[in-house]
Amino acid sequence: MFVHNIDEEVSLKLVERSDAERIFELTDRSRSGLREWLPWLDFTITIDDTKNFIAHALGDFALGKSLNCAIVYKGKLVGIAGFNEINQAKKTAYIGYWLDENYQGKGIMTRVAAALTDYALTEQGLNKVEIRAAIGNEKSRAIPKRLGYIEEGTIRQGEWLYDHLVDSVVYGMLQSEWASSDRK
């Protein structure tokens, strides 16, 4: 199983079927806040939906297409982060993340995104990592900015959120930029 220790407080582990109850609990508890920016909340209404997500994530991981991890903070699962997609042909990975509202503001997600970036660009030999966030999602957009990602542009009406389209800002980090950065 994939486990990546980030520091003494935070680690990532591949999602497992046994995580379904906790992931669903976090999703349900943070539903209103997450729903503002993530398009899948209305499709995650039972624990079986979470179990299906985990099964799909594990299948894609086995094929090398993605890596969805549980964020573990001080021994407790507190969110999800990973590569929504890994495109080996383009040598690019796309980071996605969400964190239970009770654990926001502790620097957890910045540490997680840095570790994922480093893993992709140094250990996996990819050339680029992208993070995309809705233009109004300032908390999510702050993470790639803190890590020195370059704002590459805006995808107009790039994502459907329940009843409206939102613009998405694309941030990118190249392997050569990460290697020379002091943010690792």
Side-chain angles (χ1 to χ4, degrees), residues 9-83:
E9 294 183 326
V10 182
S11 63
L12 294 170
K13 72 176 197 73
L14 186 64
V15 291
E16 302 176 79
R17 288 171 179 80
S18 61
D19 296 325
E21 189 173 320
R22 175 68 176 164
I23 293 170
F24 182 73
E25 173 193 324
L26 294 175
T27 301
D28 212 35
R29 183 170 64 210
S30 300
R31 186 172 297 278
S32 63
L34 294 174
R35 191 178 189 280
E36 184 176 6
W37 303 115
L38 299 173
W40 47 265
L41 273 292
D42 286 359
F43 306 105
T44 306
I45 49 180
T46 69
I47 194 164
D48 285 336
D49 298 324
T50 300
K51 288 177 181 176
N52 289 336
F53 157 73
I54 292 170
H56 182 77
L58 291 172
D60 279 355
F61 173 72
L63 296 172
K65 294 166 63 174
S66 70
L67 173 64
N68 284 284
C69 296
I71 302 168
V72 180
Y73 175 71
K74 295 184 178 179
K76 266 188 125 160
L77 195 157
V78 298
I80 300 292
F83 305 120

Side-chain angles (χ1 to χ4, degrees), residues 99-158:
L99 191 62
D100 177 72
E101 58 193 22
N102 294 334
Y103 293 91
Q104 294 177 9
K106 300 177 184 304
I108 295 168
M109 199 57 77
T110 300
R111 289 182 269 173
V112 165
L116 287 168
T117 302
D118 194 61
Y119 178 74
L121 299 177
T122 60
E123 294 183 42
Q124 295 300 300
L126 297 177
N127 184 58
K128 185 176 186 181
V129 176
E130 285 187 11
I131 296 175
R132 296 179 182 203
I135 204 160
N137 189 346
E138 293 301 329
K139 285 183 181 179
S140 195
R141 290 181 60 198
I143 292 163
K145 289 178 183 179
R146 264 186 230 114
L147 295 174
Y149 274 65
I150 303 300
E151 184 175 324
E152 296 185 342
T154 301
I155 300 173
R156 297 178 306 137
Q157 298 184 356

